[in-house]
Amino acid sequence: MTVGGVPLAAALAEYRPDAEIGPLPTPVDSDALLSTYHPDYLRGSVVTLAVGANAGGSCQRDLAELLQAEAFIDEADLAGIPVTDVDVLVVGGGGAGCAAALTAAEAGARVLLATKLRLGDSNTVMAEGGIQAAIEPEDSIQKHIQDTLRGGHHAGDPELVARMAEDGPDVLRWLIDLGMQFELTPNGDLRTRRGGGTSASRLVFCRDYTGLEMMRVLRESVTLHHNIEVWEQSPAVELLSNECGLACVGAVLASLVDGGLRIVRTRSVVLATGGLGRLHLNGFATSNHLGATGDGLVLAYRIGARLCELDSFQYHPTGLVFPSHLAGKLVTEGVRAAGALLLNGLGSRFVDELQPRDVVCAAILRECQEGRGIHIDDRRVGVWLDTPRLEQAEPGLLERQFPNLMSRTRGSGVDPRVQPLLVHPTLHYQNGGVVIDLDGASSVPGLFAVGEVAGGIHGRNRIMGNALLEIISFGRRAGRAATTTHDRGPKKVTVEHLNHMRRALTLAGLPMTRRTPMILPAYARGTPCTR
Amino acid sequence: MAADQKGDHERVPLTINGQAIDAKVGVTLVEAAWDARLPGITGVGCLEGVCGSCRVMLRRGKEITLGLACQTFVETGLEVIFLPPSSAPRHHYSISDFRDSWDIHARFHAIFPEASRCRHCHGCVTSCPKKIAVEDGVALAAAGRYREAGEVFLECVMCELCDGACPELIAPAHVGLFCRRVTAHFHLRPPNLVTRLEELRRKRLAGSKGESERE
């Protein structure tokens, strides 16, 4: 990243919340903006995959290294490991995993939910902005579909998008029945606001704690459900296949506590492992939780599942640059939806703040690269998110609507009510993922994928509030469908698919020195986590 | 990783899980544990204080407090213990079993019989990293004021430190969550959502009728 522009101290001294702001410059062509400044288009960041279901397709380089790598498990490892039999195995303890587990359990299945960290440690819990559902009279399911497809640059699958948008209102009903609260208007309607890139007011929210409120309700429901067993600190290190290596019949789980392995045999596996922000693609900071290392993509790819849009990631426009311990963490888009402006080092606006995220992100990167950013040191640069102006227009608004933002910055010496926030794009979301059908089923029999690990809905850019909708909509769909697979075929579980993969890697002349999935980022590993 | 470069020279001595380490100035306890390559630090999640996983016990001289490691900064002489995850819940209920809202008060006291036995020791309040008025929330719940009680627990991150601190085993975090849940479950019937759901139901009905006529 090139750095230049105004030093932080000078920019702060210059800043006035009531300064006159000139008109927005005429917008440039957004395609040109994206192809020049968006990280997806960085030269050398994309490679062509040599093996697997996507061979010949393009993929981000760091991710390709993980997909085309050696596994932790060998056939010999399977002997003598304790075996557990369940109907449905859900891998991942965020919102999508919980929704799938609850739905499968309600349908009578015995469910095991295995999660790498603690149940609920996920990106869901950090979601602040809200969940999209077309419920206002002037809005419609059709508009929601159009906004989602347009936001995704028409790379999304219209069928998947249509089902998700149609599910919206019923998803809210399901969540309310489980006991999730939302903001209301004085006459009892669900309060909505407009997210970036949408044509109607469609975001339903709970202050800026929407994800937390959702996650604690889901977590309690899962914990207290008699048909669901939860194993924490138990990452999946490999999937298991049938004798031909062509169907998924279980998984090998490792324990982060004692390093022991366990085999789980099941009728179906639901992957709900989330995203990969902790790979820090292209050197970016991330908004993601510690476990977001793309494990699900690796496991699915090795067993033969087709993936999509592996070269497309979302960089959220407003990640914090300062305070340091929150570097990369988000300021919700809700703040911009409420009216906060973005200003460069010269105190001018440079983009319509409610454009889709990729466009706003590219615009911020342009300002920083062309020397109109505000910089702390050689590495850290950003632009202002003008929160004091918002506070001045409506005193008390930040405390009332964004208590999470206020509580996170309290004690760090930055008060968003008087000092604008220094923000820079941060790696936020994996737009693509495992290719799924309307039931969340992957191209491998017995393997489902839901939530961020799945792809096809958001095309090449996700609009705000569709992630929380997707995890519940498709989590429930996959949970239902996973219970209908009755016969898992021959009793034998194997790692035959690994033999296929190893042969292909050898033929392609690729090194097999690295073992994946990553499980934890290197800086957080302490000791080797599995073996 | 997020530490300032200028802090590289100055070091802060402290102990984490019994191991003496030197940390960079200005880093959080999680970052300090990572930098020192301490084993077994797996109870870490969001790194921004909303998942409630990185629970720590802190000792400064004779004073002992609780907190979240990702939100606490290193201090000279601080003794830190990463706490194990809390044990399985002792309360059990399924919200789908609640059909009649008139008996909810009896239900609540059956599920959380300890809630009315608060001895006002403030253990829950002092242990809360989010500064929630936990004790007041429990009192409101025990008095049947679920909506108000739930509002008290808005910022609760379910770290369950208050559950561990309560000598009467009240499980305040779960009491708070129960209050929020029953409030939504029984009282949230937003007209805009209800109307749209009904519209969609009719459309589906008309659609399936159309299909059967065509057949």
Side-chain angles (χ1 to χ4, degrees):
Chain A
M1 265 162 276
T2 356
V3 170
V6 189
L8 177 68
L12 258 183
E14 206 47 32
Y15 173 80
R16 298 275 176 286
D18 49 3
E20 196 71 33
I21 296 178
L24 197 57
T26 0
V28 292
D29 173 44
S30 60
D31 284 340
L33 186 68
L34 287 174
S35 61
T36 319
Y37 295 101
H38 195 277
D40 283 352
Y41 298 90
L42 275 181
R43 199 173 311 170
S45 77
V46 172
V47 297
T48 304
L49 288 169
V51 303
N54 286 59
S58 54
C59 177
Q60 204 281 341
R61 188 180 37 198
D62 307 333
L63 175 59
E65 265 182 40
L66 295 188
L67 294 181
Q68 307 182 124
E70 173 64 301
F72 283 106
I73 301 295
D74 253 318
E75 220 134 286
D77 294 317
L78 298 186
I81 313 182
V83 178
T84 305
D85 284 300
V86 293
D87 296 331
V88 175
L89 169 67
V90 177
V91 183
C98 287
L102 282 169
T103 313
E106 282 302 310
R110 282 174 311 126
V111 179
L112 173 62
L113 189 154
T115 179
K116 176 158 57 184
L117 303 169
R118 174 191 185 229
L119 182 62
D121 285 4
S122 58
N123 288 337
T124 303
V125 80
M126 290 186 277
E128 298 175 15
I131 173 169
Q132 282 210 46
I135 52 165
E136 295 290 18
E138 62 279 7
D139 194 8
S140 68
I141 303 289
Q142 199 52 40
K143 282 188 188 170
H144 188 173
I145 296 172
Q146 281 162 1
D147 287 345
T148 305
L149 289 172
R150 190 167 358 95
H153 302 284
H154 299 281
D157 178 340
E159 273 290 301
L160 294 177
V161 173
R163 290 297 93 76
M164 178 185 78
E166 281 165 14
D167 283 352
D170 195 56
V171 161
L172 294 186
R173 183 192 165 152
W174 187 74
L175 288 168
I176 289 171
D177 273 340
L178 279 182
M180 178 173 173
Q181 295 197 11
F182 293 99
E183 266 358 89
L184 302 177
T185 65
N187 46 22
D189 278 334
L190 285 177
R191 190 185 287 279
T192 55
R193 59 185 175 207
R194 242 192 94 188
T198 60
S199 60
S201 192
R202 191 184 299 134
L203 272 173
V204 185
F205 57 100
C206 176
R207 245 64 66 95
D208 58 347
Y209 281 118
T210 314
L212 172 63
E213 170 74 2
M214 180 188 284
M215 198 63 246
R216 58 189 172 201
V217 166
L218 289 173
R219 183 169 174 265
E220 188 84 338
S221 306
V222 165
T223 311
L224 299 182
H225 203 292
H226 59 275
N227 265 356
I228 306 176
E229 192 176 339
V230 178
W231 292 1
E232 298 185 330
Q233 310 255 314
S234 304
V237 291
E238 197 53 64
L239 294 174
L240 293 167
S241 50
N242 64 6
E243 277 150 325
C244 339
L246 295 176
C248 179
V249 295
V252 180
L253 307 179
S255 161
L256 287 187
V257 179
D258 59 18
L261 298 176
R262 270 206 125 116
I263 287 176
V264 178
R265 295 188 299 198
T266 104
R267 299 199 300 225
S268 20
V269 173
V270 181
L271 280 181
T273 50
L276 49 57
R278 290 280 153 189
L279 302 184
H280 298 285
L281 302 181
N282 300 322
F284 272 74
T286 183
S287 61
N288 288 187
H289 77 111
L290 185 63
T293 51
D295 297 3
L297 288 182
V298 172
L299 299 183
Y301 197 62
R302 270 212 291 259
I303 204 167
R306 217 154 57 75
L307 314 180
C308 67
E309 311 294 351
L310 296 174
D311 51 356
S312 170
F313 299 88
Q314 181 166 79
Y315 296 80
H316 193 290
T318 54
L320 286 167
V321 179
F322 184 82
S324 308
H325 75 285
L326 292 175
K329 292 300 183 175
L330 286 197
V331 182
T332 169
E333 186 170 325
V335 176
R336 275 176 291 139
L341 304 177
L342 289 168
L343 303 177
N344 63 17
L346 312 173
S348 319
R349 282 179 76 191
F350 52 89
V351 66
D352 171 4
E353 288 79 2
L354 290 183
Q355 287 278 308
R357 286 176 172 174
D358 52 352
V359 175
V360 179
C361 159
I364 296 176
L365 291 173
R366 178 193 61 199
E367 295 305 299
C368 293
Q369 282 175 31
E370 293 183 353
R372 292 187 296 276
I374 297 146
H375 68 88
I376 299 184
D377 53 33
D378 295 347
R379 298 169 300 132
R380 297 181 294 174
V381 59
V383 296
W384 288 139
L385 178 65
D386 194 356
T387 42
R389 185 179 302 266
L390 189 63
E391 179 74 9
Q392 204 171 52
E394 206 181 327
L397 174 121
L398 287 176
E399 192 67 61
R400 215 168 39 246
Q401 282 198 32
F402 304 103
N404 187 11
L405 173 67
M406 297 305 291
S407 123
R408 280 189 301 161
T409 45
R410 201 170 293 137
S412 66
V414 178
D415 184 346
R417 289 171 300 189
V418 294
Q419 184 180 331
L421 297 168
L422 193 59
V423 295
H424 184 271
T426 179
L427 180 54
H428 184 54
Y429 193 81
Q430 156 192 312
N431 293 322
V434 180
V435 174
I436 54 168
D437 69 7
L438 301 180
D439 289 326
S442 75
S443 58
V444 174
L447 182 65
F448 296 78
V450 290
E452 193 169 344
V453 72
I457 292 169
H458 311 295
R460 299 185 66 80
N461 176 56
R462 176 173 66 77
I463 54 175
M464 175 188 191
N466 267 350
L468 287 188
L469 174 57
E470 179 199 355
I471 58 175
I472 306 298
S473 161
F474 278 88
R476 291 173 69 200
R477 284 170 175 274
R480 265 194 301 269
T483 53
T484 58
T485 334
H486 283 294
D487 185 13
R488 69 175 172 80
K491 285 266 183 289
K492 193 160 179 218
V493 295
T494 75
V495 285
E496 187 56 32
H497 62 287
L498 290 181
N499 298 337
H500 299 187
M501 182 52 107
R502 283 181 184 130
R503 252 194 310 276
L505 286 170
T506 313
L507 283 174
L510 288 165
M512 288 170 46
T513 39
R514 186 159 182 197
R515 288 176 191 265
T516 59
M518 187 186 259
I519 301 178
L520 285 174
Y523 52 76
R525 232 168 260 168
T527 49
C529 43
T530 48
R531 296 196 298 178
Chain B
M1 33 155 224
D4 290 0
Q5 280 170 333
K6 61 175 186 275
D8 280 356
H9 317 292
E10 276 176 82
R11 307 297 287 192
V12 179
L14 72 161
T15 66
I16 297 183
N17 290 353
Q19 302 225 32
I21 63 165
D22 270 326
K24 288 182 208 161
V25 175
V27 301
T28 64
L29 297 179
V30 171
E31 290 167 331
W34 284 347
D35 290 346
R37 293 311 220 185
L38 293 184
I41 310 289
T42 51
V44 174
C46 72
L47 301 167
E48 58 176 68
V50 295
C51 79
S53 283
C54 55
R55 315 163 348 132
V56 281
M57 185 183 277
L58 306 164
R59 206 178 102 169
R60 299 173 182 90
K62 281 190 176 157
E63 182 208 17
I64 292 179
T65 54
L66 298 165
L68 297 177
C70 73
Q71 301 297 296
T72 311
F73 297 95
V74 293
E75 291 167 35
T76 300
L78 188 64
E79 288 176 55
V80 183
I81 300 280
F82 275 79
L83 296 173
S86 52
S87 42
R90 296 177 311 111
H91 60 279
H92 292 283
Y93 67 93
S94 170
I95 199 135
S96 54
D97 293 345
F98 300 168
R99 298 264 171 249
D100 179 8
S101 53
W102 287 97
D103 71 355
I104 196 62
H105 207 44
R107 291 261 196 173
F108 172 77
H109 286 286
I111 297 162
F112 297 102
E114 304 87 358
S116 48
R117 285 189 222 133
C118 173
R119 46 170 111 151
H120 307 286
C121 71
H122 306 311
C124 53
V125 180
T126 47
S127 67
C128 178
K130 304 304 264 189
K131 309 268 182 289
I132 293 171
V134 186
E135 215 173 84
D136 299 349
V138 170
L140 285 167
R145 313 195 74 88
Y146 301 114
R147 185 188 296 270
E148 291 160 71
E151 208 41 46
V152 172
F153 287 93
L154 169 76
E155 298 202 54
C156 173
V157 296
M158 300 308 288
C159 65
E160 298 169 338
L161 284 170
C162 56
D163 294 9
C166 180
E168 292 286 353
L169 307 176
I170 290 177
H174 295 273
V175 166
L177 186 52
F178 175 94
C179 296
R180 294 188 64 81
R181 292 182 73 190
V182 294
T183 302
H185 182 77
F186 286 127
H187 301 294
L188 230 60
R189 293 295 178 272
N192 52 356
L193 173 61
V194 174
T195 309
R196 181 53 47 86
L197 281 168
E198 177 59 13
E199 262 174 47
L200 291 173
R201 192 184 69 86
R202 286 180 182 209
K203 224 170 110 189
R204 254 197 320 273
L205 270 180
S208 61
K209 220 189 256 168
E211 264 166 40
S212 58
E213 273 166 19
R214 252 178 276 133
E215 282 163 14

